[in-house]
Amino acid sequence: MSPQHFILGAAAMILAALGMWLMLPRGRKGGRLLGGGLSALSLVAFILLGKSLGSISADLVFGTTAAVAVAAAAMAVTFRSPVYCAIWFALSLLATAGLFMLQGAQFLGVATIVVYAGAILVTFLFVLMLAQPGGHAYYDRVSWEGLLASVTGAVLVGILTMTVVRVWQPPRDERVLAALAADPEKTITAAMIQRARVLPNPAGTTKIELELAPGTAPQITAPLIAKLKGLLTANPELTGPNGQLEVVLLIRSTAPAPRHVNDKETRAGNILHPEHVAKLGAVLFSQHLIAVEVAGTLLLIALVGAVAILSHDRSQRTSPQPRDNVPIGHAAPLLRSPRNASENVIGANAAATPLLATTREPAVSSTGAPRHG
Amino acid sequence: MDEVALLNNSLIVGALLFGLGLIGFLARRNMIVMFLCAEMMLQGVAVSLIAWGRYHNDWGGQMLVVFILTVAACEAGLMLALVLMLFQRSGRLDIAAWSELREESIPAYKDQELDEFVSEPQQWPKLTVAGVQPPPDTEGDEHREQM
């Protein structure tokens, strides 16, 4: 991993953590725009990092779709109102479906739109209409430990991204490249070298690990190894203080390149087959038939379970309970009424008061705040 | 098309979606938003799986995503039922309403106080008495606290 990659990745991580922390609801105004700017900068850094890993033919389309997916996801996470969260989540889902289609998974792209946007999201909005009183509730305007959560997420993303970058761009020591470039016959060019590391050795000898890209380098013979050793020892920067050098060559050049990488015809016959759904269905209903049956059973169980949860709850609540809060459908805003305010602040009256005991107080409680006048 | 670049970029996008979902799941308090964030994490995994499947020319990735969609639908149905039940019991979508379920040795979470939220007793302006005193409007008293 080159230093540029490391700096770019670290900058993207720190910017993302700060930006997300500022964007998350913190119970006070201000800082959201700054957080959005930092997050956008972080997104740009991630795009640069992704572009440095090689170019895709549909680069602009992929980049735009991915940026929309990630930006909409950030909005969905940070917006205060759950309804807006759901709508941004829908946009993120649409962009993700676009990514699926770009990768040749048309069926799953359509299925994602139908299942999520068509069913789950509508149900979400239904629940929100049912359950959400007007105005932003207290719990939508604060978050648990926003900074810690942002740092956790950013560190996880950083580890995953840096792993991808490191696997794709293994270390290539400049001194080894320079030593091999001194060869007048150019037996091993820089493009063939996948990994070149100079390992420090306490014994005074320098150990060099050289890995050649599969399928590119010439046949490895004893004269070639002797020649490489000669080239490497000739470089004064590489040899240790006593002039000894041990070259460990990890060469996989004789193995042919894996056929599936960048081979259009192999993919066109299988995963990018023109009759996509037919192939997918054939695999699904032949190799995964039992799993399909189990999944169907799971859906049935979930349906029965959901009905059981709600009906059981309702049968338990036949006796009229004191309603703790504003009833469903009552448009009285929780925030603006001072009567409800003290009930919604957890531990506002006394920190030791149990939460549920606070909420079970009768609606007209003696909070000490005069109603008016 | 460079397949390795497509794989790498898709993996980064998947990691970003997963990380954003994780941040939201840890930080947000609204149960519905928490569940949206969990779904977002599933989306990140699905993006990665499809990219791996394409790279290896194998249907396994897409098969896994099909089953992820199924399980996510089951999960969504159960979750909405649970959220409705919890909302009917506590009267709000706040996950902190259920911190009663914590261990006895753990202290209660103390919420930060919001300025606009803990409102001061309101001082109405005092006007000099003028004219005839109107009859008391009991209906108006009912509505005044909403102002």
Side-chain angles (χ1 to χ4, degrees):
Chain A
M1 185 164 53
S2 64
Q4 304 96 285
H5 278 116
F6 183 77
I7 293 170
L8 202 56
M13 257 179 61
I14 294 169
L15 284 174
L18 277 179
M20 286 305 289
W21 172 55
L22 287 174
M23 277 170 80
L24 276 172
R26 285 172 303 142
R28 71 183 91 106
K29 289 192 170 133
R32 288 211 62 187
L33 271 182
L34 180 64
L38 289 181
S39 300
L41 276 181
S42 156
L43 187 59
V44 169
F46 272 112
I47 289 174
L48 289 179
L49 199 64
K51 271 190 79 71
S52 71
L53 295 177
S55 64
I56 308 166
S57 66
D59 219 354
L60 195 64
V61 182
F62 182 90
T64 315
T65 320
V68 167
V70 172
M75 294 290 191
V77 165
T78 53
F79 253 74
R80 278 133 182 85
S81 164
V83 179
Y84 280 102
C85 287
I87 290 169
W88 280 110
F89 180 65
L91 180 60
S92 176
L93 275 178
L94 286 180
T96 316
L99 283 181
F100 287 176
M101 292 195 186
L102 271 179
Q103 289 178 337
Q106 296 100 333
F107 176 76
L108 281 173
V110 174
T112 304
I113 294 176
V114 169
V115 172
Y116 276 100
I120 293 182
L121 211 66
V122 169
T123 327
F124 271 127
L125 290 176
F126 166 72
V127 169
L128 287 174
M129 302 302 161
L130 196 67
Q132 194 68 14
H136 292 179
Y138 170 79
Y139 45 86
D140 280 329
R141 295 167 44 202
V142 293
S143 48
W144 309 107
E145 305 295 343
L147 184 60
L148 277 182
S150 306
V151 169
T152 309
V155 166
L156 179 79
V157 172
I159 290 173
L160 292 173
T161 310
M162 286 297 120
T163 312
V164 171
V165 172
R166 196 179 166 78
V167 168
W168 172 238
Q169 300 236 314
R172 301 205 307 173
D173 198 288
E174 295 295 326
R175 293 171 294 174
V176 177
L177 294 184
L180 290 178
D183 178 18
E185 297 168 27
K186 301 279 177 210
T187 324
I188 306 284
T189 55
M192 297 179 192
I193 300 172
Q194 207 167 50
R195 180 194 300 266
R197 280 200 298 172
V198 178
L199 303 172
N201 197 333
T205 61
T206 313
K207 199 172 176 181
I208 293 178
E209 201 182 75
L210 189 66
E211 190 179 324
L212 301 181
T216 56
Q219 281 285 328
I220 303 303
T221 52
L224 178 68
I225 293 174
K227 182 181 172 188
L228 287 180
K229 283 193 178 178
L231 278 173
L232 291 169
T233 20
N235 193 328
E237 285 182 27
L238 279 172
T239 46
N242 51 4
Q244 289 182 20
L245 181 66
E246 183 193 350
V247 179
V248 178
L249 289 173
L250 293 168
I251 300 181
R252 280 189 278 145
S253 66
T254 49
R259 226 178 105 63
H260 57 261
V261 176
N262 287 339
D263 185 10
K264 275 187 187 158
E265 274 134 43
T266 318
R267 279 205 179 75
N270 192 19
I271 196 110
L272 295 182
H273 198 273
E275 296 182 345
H276 173 77
V277 181
K279 290 287 281 183
L280 187 135
V283 175
L284 184 64
F285 291 112
S286 60
Q287 294 177 26
H288 302 276
L289 186 59
I290 297 179
V292 170
E293 298 292 335
V294 171
T297 318
L298 183 67
L299 277 168
L300 180 66
I301 293 172
L303 176 69
V304 174
V307 173
I309 287 172
L310 281 180
S311 60
H312 179 69
D313 189 51
R314 194 159 298 157
S315 66
Q316 268 194 342
R317 291 159 50 81
T318 44
S319 62
Q321 267 188 351
R323 277 317 290 260
D324 325 310
N325 221 316
V326 183
I328 302 170
H330 194 271
L334 279 178
L335 278 183
R336 289 169 218 146
S337 157
R339 187 177 75 189
N340 289 322
S342 61
E343 289 176 358
N344 282 291
V345 179
I346 301 165
N349 300 336
T353 316
L355 285 176
L356 293 182
T358 328
T359 53
R360 292 249 163 93
E361 277 173 8
V364 186
S365 61
S366 55
T367 55
R371 302 276 163 68
H372 49 82
Chain B
M1 182 178 286
D2 187 357
E3 296 291 338
V4 184
L6 184 64
L7 171 70
N8 284 335
N9 281 285
S10 303
L11 288 182
I12 290 180
V13 173
L16 277 171
L17 282 178
F18 189 92
L20 284 170
L22 179 70
I23 291 175
F25 192 80
L26 291 176
R28 295 303 298 266
R29 283 175 57 169
N30 191 316
M31 285 191 279
I32 291 179
V33 179
M34 282 174 71
F35 187 72
L36 281 179
C37 294
E39 296 288 328
M40 200 178 289
M41 287 198 268
L42 286 181
Q43 285 297 307
V45 175
V47 170
S48 304
L49 279 175
I50 288 182
W52 280 119
R54 173 172 178 146
Y55 178 75
H56 287 292
N57 193 17
D58 190 286
W59 287 98
Q62 297 197 18
M63 290 301 122
L64 268 171
V65 177
V66 168
F67 292 114
I68 283 181
L69 278 183
T70 317
V71 175
C74 297
E75 185 202 348
L78 281 176
M79 169 270 177
L80 293 174
L82 281 172
V83 164
L84 261 184
M85 187 191 82
L86 294 178
F87 174 76
Q88 284 174 356
R89 293 200 176 186
S90 78
R92 51 195 178 172
L93 291 169
D94 190 3
I95 197 74
W98 301 96
S99 62
E100 265 293 280
L101 300 174
R102 68 185 182 273
E103 296 274 330
E104 277 185 18
S105 55
I106 298 175
Y109 182 79
K110 198 162 183 298
D111 256 327
Q112 67 185 96
E113 292 191 4
L114 298 188
D115 293 339
E116 312 102 294
F117 199 76
V118 187
S119 52
E120 302 271 317
Q122 203 149 9
Q123 298 293 327
W124 296 101
K126 286 203 166 90
L127 301 178
T128 49
V129 181
V132 186
Q133 186 173 10
D137 183 9
T138 50
E139 198 185 352
D141 277 347
E142 289 295 313
H143 297 297
R144 190 160 294 160
E145 62 185 302
Q146 308 266 345
M147 279 163 57

